[in-house]
Amino acid sequence: MSFKGKVVLITGASSGIGAGTAIYLAQLGASLSITGRNKFNLNKVAEQCGQPKPFLVTGDLANENDVKNIIDSTIEHYGKLDVLINNAGIVECGTIETISLKQYDNIMNVNVRSVFQLTTLAVPHLIKTKGNIVNVSSIGGLRPFKNRTPYCMSKAALDQFTRCVALELASRQVRVNSVNPGAVITDIHRNTGMNQEQIKIYYEKMNRAHALGRNGDTLEIAKSIAFLASDDASFITGVTIPVDGGLHVMSFQSCEDIAKQ
């Protein structure tokens, strides 16, 4: 695969899957625009991408003006857009009895509303290049998990968004797909209030929840994103691909038993 001459915008690129995807696509020759809230971490990722250095845009996806600036700045810098990777997302833990409406709104604003807005702004530019979109969803969009109701709802919405927009843009030769990762070792759970020991226990349990017996890593997800964004996937649109070590084929009872251990 080669992304030479392709302009790729990646949200949530300051850590985790977004950072791994930026570094991998840089190796494949992509001209990158990477965005996130943490400028220090974005700079660290940019250093790992090598030369030419990615274009950096700091911003909060929950802020409409920041979202608009991300697109406007990218187009002003590169003059075009070939690939949009909607990667940024957050997790909030809690049951229907404990999670607050504020937490719900926060999840939906970042995981769904910002993706809708950013995609709307990007589409005219993607039509010009016959580009494509890759959304980073979750296995939580395909099956339910306890204590993650708003998160799973947001990812299910993102999956349906992927299918609907793929249908709408197919006649314009713009492809839209998503990847649905299982548990991948990133920093995402640090913002949920879990301490380091709780995070360690969580990932140990999730190892056993996957059919392959282990969690994923960011490079594995990055390679799947790159494939869908590449010309190699030119006849693929409207799909949601589980990249989850077989978690989606594990029985619900097996996962419930693991969660209790």
Side-chain angles (χ1 to χ4, degrees), residues 84-116:
L84 170 63
I85 299 175
N86 286 309
N87 165 75
I90 59 172
V91 177
E92 295 273 10
C93 300
T95 70
I96 192 64
E97 297 175 290
T98 62
I99 203 157
S100 69
L101 194 57
K102 182 179 180 180
Q103 289 173 295
Y104 171 86
D105 286 340
N106 194 29
I107 290 174
M108 298 304 286
N109 283 338
V110 174
N111 293 6
V112 183
R113 193 175 191 273
S114 72
V115 173
F116 186 95

Side-chain angles (χ1 to χ4, degrees), residues 60-70 113 117 121:
D60 184 351
L61 290 178
N63 183 303
E64 289 184 20
N65 292 328
D66 284 2
V67 173
K68 187 174 185 303
N69 181 58
I70 289 167
R113 193 175 191 273
Q117 184 191 2
L121 296 172

Side-chain angles (χ1 to χ4, degrees), residues 57-172:
V57 189
T58 55
D60 184 351
L61 290 178
N63 183 303
E64 289 184 20
N65 292 328
D66 284 2
V67 173
K68 187 174 185 303
N69 181 58
I70 289 167
I71 286 291
D72 290 346
S73 298
T74 299
I75 297 301
E76 183 179 351
H77 184 78
Y78 286 114
K80 67 168 186 171
L81 180 65
D82 295 284
V83 180
L84 170 63
I85 299 175
N86 286 309
N87 165 75
I90 59 172
V91 177
E92 295 273 10
C93 300
T95 70
I96 192 64
E97 297 175 290
T98 62
I99 203 157
S100 69
L101 194 57
K102 182 179 180 180
Q103 289 173 295
Y104 171 86
D105 286 340
N106 194 29
I107 290 174
M108 298 304 286
N109 283 338
V110 174
N111 293 6
V112 183
R113 193 175 191 273
S114 72
V115 173
F116 186 95
Q117 184 191 2
L118 192 62
T119 303
T120 298
L121 296 172
V123 160
H125 305 288
L126 293 170
I127 289 173
K128 290 178 183 177
T129 59
K130 291 184 171 56
N132 70 85
I133 300 166
V134 181
N135 296 319
V136 180
S137 183
S138 166
I139 194 62
L142 303 176
R143 62 178 299 172
F145 291 93
K146 282 185 177 180
N147 303 323
R148 298 285 193 282
T149 296
Y151 176 76
C152 290
M153 289 172 65
S154 74
K155 293 304 186 178
L158 183 59
D159 287 346
Q160 190 71 326
F161 176 76
T162 296
R163 290 184 284 265
C164 289
V165 179
L167 191 60
E168 291 175 357
L169 296 180
S171 64
R172 316 296 286 276

Side-chain angles (χ1 to χ4, degrees), residues 113-251:
R113 193 175 191 273
S114 72
V115 173
F116 186 95
Q117 184 191 2
L118 192 62
T119 303
T120 298
L121 296 172
V123 160
H125 305 288
L126 293 170
I127 289 173
K128 290 178 183 177
T129 59
K130 291 184 171 56
N132 70 85
I133 300 166
V134 181
N135 296 319
V136 180
S137 183
S138 166
I139 194 62
L142 303 176
R143 62 178 299 172
F145 291 93
K146 282 185 177 180
N147 303 323
R148 298 285 193 282
T149 296
Y151 176 76
C152 290
M153 289 172 65
S154 74
K155 293 304 186 178
L158 183 59
D159 287 346
Q160 190 71 326
F161 176 76
T162 296
R163 290 184 284 265
C164 289
V165 179
L167 191 60
E168 291 175 357
L169 296 180
S171 64
R172 316 296 286 276
Q173 302 305 303
V174 174
R175 300 182 299 106
V176 187
N177 297 292
S178 78
V179 295
N180 296 64
V184 177
I185 299 175
T186 68
D187 293 332
I188 193 169
H189 291 286
R190 288 183 180 176
N191 297 324
T192 66
M194 294 171 67
N195 60 41
Q196 198 59 41
E197 183 61 25
Q198 289 172 322
I199 292 172
K200 179 182 177 183
I201 292 170
Y202 168 79
Y203 280 124
E204 287 175 350
K205 287 181 177 179
M206 290 307 297
N207 269 327
R208 301 190 297 276
H210 297 80
L212 292 179
R214 65 174 179 85
N215 296 311
D217 64 49
T218 56
L219 181 58
E220 290 173 312
I221 310 304
K223 287 180 177 180
S224 300
I225 292 170
F227 168 70
L228 288 175
S230 75
D231 293 339
D232 291 351
S234 59
F235 202 51
I236 299 175
T237 195
V239 303
T240 51
I241 298 180
V243 188
D244 66 344
L247 177 56
H248 71 285
V249 295
M250 293 287 279
S251 72

